[in-house]
Amino acid sequence: MKEGELDARQEALAAIAREAGERARKLFSNPAGVKLKGVQDFITAADGEVERLIIERLKARFPHDAFLGEEGGTQGSGDALWIIDPIDGTANFAYGIPHFCVSIGFLSAGEPMLGAVCAPMYDELYLARRGRGALRNGRPIRVAGGVEMGQALIELGWSSRLPAKAYTALLERVLATGATFRRAGSGALGLAYVADGRNHGYCELHINSWDVAAALLLVREAGGWTNDFFAGDAIARGNAVLACAPQLQEALVAATGVGQANEKFERRIS
Ligand code: IPD
């Protein structure tokens, strides 16, 4: 994709992520239509409304691009693909907890090029462009430097898609490194927090592409390391994810088993 075409998408992305975040913020005061898609897997009316807003705005500017939304699935085809999670942290949203975000990633020919994560209740907008760094509210961010495992905070994402014992085994192995853990309920924000040093790592043994498409680029552009998430059919089916400050890579790959073959991704994204 030509630089000018990417410039146009970057500019649109920042404005649309802000607008979508603002819509989610308004809807948060009175979450409607809360339902379960599966065990501990929430959807609210806001998910559909915010996703439709994002796709409508993007389509108006880029009618030939393709879209993959958490709620609406795939629309269109081609090399220019937007991957959207309208509200990541839906359970938090449904329970009145302000830890949720809008996540919009843009891939060109399978390469993550742009990412936006907007946390409207914190008034924080993260943006990344491949090769040009990562920003929070316009200021450059970096992953945490100098942190060792014995002081590290690793977020461990959980969903009901895998058996509980996979999570408890992961938790035991990560705790054995000396790190502590948390689970705050938004994979996209957990990864964005790795990018700006608030978390030192994020791991989840299965996560969907809409949860990570924007934030993995944030981590890489902020100097962090991530596994080869987009290998194979991860866009459609999800994958394991590990992202961290680079000095923790070896210990976390060993503890989690995620990311042993990352060469392809390293080439693609750096
Ligand atoms: C979920 C959240 C959660 C992660 C799950 C996701 P949703 O997405 O990101 O933190 O652990 O894997 O499914 O349902 O809130 O959009």
Side-chain angles (χ1 to χ4, degrees), residues 161-187:
R161 293 183 297 273
L162 294 181
K165 67 180 177 201
Y167 190 79
T168 54
L170 175 72
L171 177 55
E172 267 188 36
R173 292 195 304 266
V174 169
L175 291 180
T177 66
T180 188
F181 82 104
R182 67 176 197 156
R183 173 183 178 255
S186 165

Side-chain angles (χ1 to χ4, degrees), residues 70 85 87-90 157-159 161 185-187 202 204 207 211:
E70 175 175 13
D85 190 341
I87 298 189
D88 185 58
T90 309
W158 172 89
S159 77
R161 293 183 297 273
S186 165
Y202 185 95
E204 186 160 344
I207 195 162
D211 297 313

Side-chain angles (χ1 to χ4, degrees), residues 152-163:
L153 170 58
I154 310 300
E155 185 158 351
L156 299 178
W158 172 89
S159 77
S160 59
R161 293 183 297 273
L162 294 181

Side-chain angles (χ1 to χ4, degrees), residues 44-67:
T44 71
D47 291 79
E49 182 172 332
V50 175
E51 186 167 307
R52 284 191 296 277
L53 170 80
I54 294 166
I55 294 182
E56 190 183 302
R57 295 283 187 271
L58 287 170
K59 260 191 180 166
R61 298 276 309 264
F62 312 107
H64 304 298
D65 288 1
F67 301 89

Side-chain angles (χ1 to χ4, degrees), residues 69-82:
E70 175 175 13
E71 310 308 338
T74 306
Q75 297 183 37
S77 61
D79 277 352
L81 173 67
W82 297 92

